[in-house]
Amino acid sequence: MFNDGTLKVHLLVSIWRATTGLLLALAMGLPLGLLLGRHQRHPAEAIEPLLRVLSQVNPFTLLPVFILFFGIGEMAKVAVVAWVCLWPVLFYTITASRHVEAIQIKTAASMGISTMDMMLKVIVPGALPTIFVGIRIGACLTFYILVAAEMLGASAGLGWLVHNSAMNYLIPRIYAGATFIVVLGFLLNRFLLYLERALFSWQSDTLMLFGSAAPPAALRPGKGLVAAFTGALVLIALLGGIQVQKINREAATVSDGPHSHHSETGGHNGHSGF
């Protein structure tokens, strides 16, 4: 599968869906979390129980709603991923923005800083390490929820590969798809840890994932290397988007082809004969 290019297609499609869903969750969760955490605290406390309930809703029970709004194409699957990733990003952003050190806020206010500068230069930098934990948790959920979304309705992707192989008793392909799902989830988690150490290298005493302390300065990753990894991820996501469009065009061509026309004609004749 790797040699004939089949596995590459499934990888690119799944990475595109996961990346798009995560970016949508960040676009919604970060601004809303900062708004509810700092500027609308009383409304936030009132609606927080509702948000907690919504975060526990199984996303697949909402799939008919997503299909109603977005159709049966790619956006319904991306919406499922975004829904799951949204909640850790939102809740960690609310918590982080509320717990920025008061001395930093008072010092900035005593200097006559504007509201916008207070948010961009004090609140966001002070809250960012905790916010990044929520981003990392949301990112680690993307591939696992994406697999289930692709099993419900897709024509490509790692989830579709596992499901289709199971239906056709292609056991080696099941293990191939499952292996790459685990590998991608692991690599994404390690990349985010790497990025976290590069962005917050000043937190020498902060405990990182699994309780390990931050590495010494000599072992901290360079920002240039992180930028290269980020650029490679963006490139892979773009190639995945192109592949998704190609697959959808091929599926539309097949559904509108001669076989489909023949089926419609046969059905019409059968109905008339009856």
Side-chain angles (χ1 to χ4, degrees), residues 157-207:
L158 293 175
W160 177 88
L161 174 63
V162 172
H163 180 67
N164 181 264
S165 301
M167 293 298 99
N168 292 282
Y169 298 100
L170 302 174
I171 306 303
R173 291 192 174 214
I174 296 176
Y175 285 108
T179 299
F180 270 90
I181 290 167
V182 174
V183 168
L184 286 176
F186 175 78
L187 291 178
L188 180 61
N189 181 62
R190 299 310 301 177
F191 168 71
L192 290 173
L193 281 174
Y194 197 83
L195 182 62
E196 185 175 7
R197 290 169 181 169
L199 294 176
F200 312 121
S201 58
W202 44 271
Q203 288 188 312
S204 57
D205 297 327
T206 300
L207 293 181

Side-chain angles (χ1 to χ4, degrees), residues 7-263:
L7 188 60
K8 179 186 71 174
V9 172
H10 296 307
L11 285 171
L12 289 175
V13 169
S14 290
I15 290 174
W16 179 84
R17 288 170 179 158
T19 304
T20 305
L22 179 60
L23 290 177
L24 284 176
L26 295 180
M28 293 184 292
L30 294 177
L32 184 60
L34 291 172
L35 179 66
L36 295 177
R38 296 303 308 180
H39 294 290
Q40 303 293 334
R41 298 193 65 168
H42 295 297
E45 292 173 357
I47 67 173
E48 188 169 353
L50 175 62
L51 295 177
R52 295 288 178 181
V53 170
L54 290 175
S55 68
Q56 300 302 316
V57 174
N58 189 323
F60 299 108
T61 62
L62 299 176
L63 190 60
V65 179
F66 294 147
I67 292 176
L68 177 65
F69 282 99
F70 304 115
I72 59 175
E74 295 298 325
M75 283 308 299
K77 299 184 238 343
V78 171
V80 171
V81 177
W83 176 270
V84 173
C85 297
L86 170 64
W87 303 110
V89 174
L90 176 62
F91 291 139
Y92 271 85
T93 303
I94 292 174
T95 301
S97 60
R98 287 178 179 174
H99 292 85
V100 177
E101 292 186 14
I103 188 64
Q104 297 179 1
I105 298 175
K106 291 179 180 180
T107 302
S110 67
M111 298 178 180
I113 193 171
S114 65
T115 303
M116 182 60 68
D117 285 341
M118 175 71 78
M119 177 62 69
L120 296 179
K121 297 181 179 181
V122 179
I123 303 299
V124 172
L128 201 55
T130 304
I131 292 174
F132 204 87
V133 175
I135 296 174
R136 195 173 70 229
I137 293 173
C140 290
L141 295 174
T142 54
F143 280 104
Y144 302 107
I145 196 65
L146 176 63
V147 170
E150 289 178 339
M151 286 180 177
L152 292 178
S155 57
L158 293 175
W160 177 88
L161 174 63
V162 172
H163 180 67
N164 181 264
S165 301
M167 293 298 99
N168 292 282
Y169 298 100
L170 302 174
I171 306 303
R173 291 192 174 214
I174 296 176
Y175 285 108
T179 299
F180 270 90
I181 290 167
V182 174
V183 168
L184 286 176
F186 175 78
L187 291 178
L188 180 61
N189 181 62
R190 299 310 301 177
F191 168 71
L192 290 173
L193 281 174
Y194 197 83
L195 182 62
E196 185 175 7
R197 290 169 181 169
L199 294 176
F200 312 121
S201 58
W202 44 271
Q203 288 188 312
S204 57
D205 297 327
T206 300
L207 293 181
M208 309 298 279
L209 191 64
F210 307 122
S212 58
L219 298 178
R220 289 171 189 154
K223 294 185 178 180
L225 188 57
V226 171
F229 283 150
T230 305
L233 183 61
V234 171
L235 178 61
I236 292 173
L238 290 175
L239 292 175
I242 295 172
Q243 194 64 52
V244 166
Q245 291 182 349
K246 180 181 177 181
I247 290 172
N248 289 336
R249 283 197 302 267
E250 291 175 353
T253 302
V254 170
S255 62
D256 295 335
H259 182 270
S260 176
H261 177 71
H262 175 73
S263 299

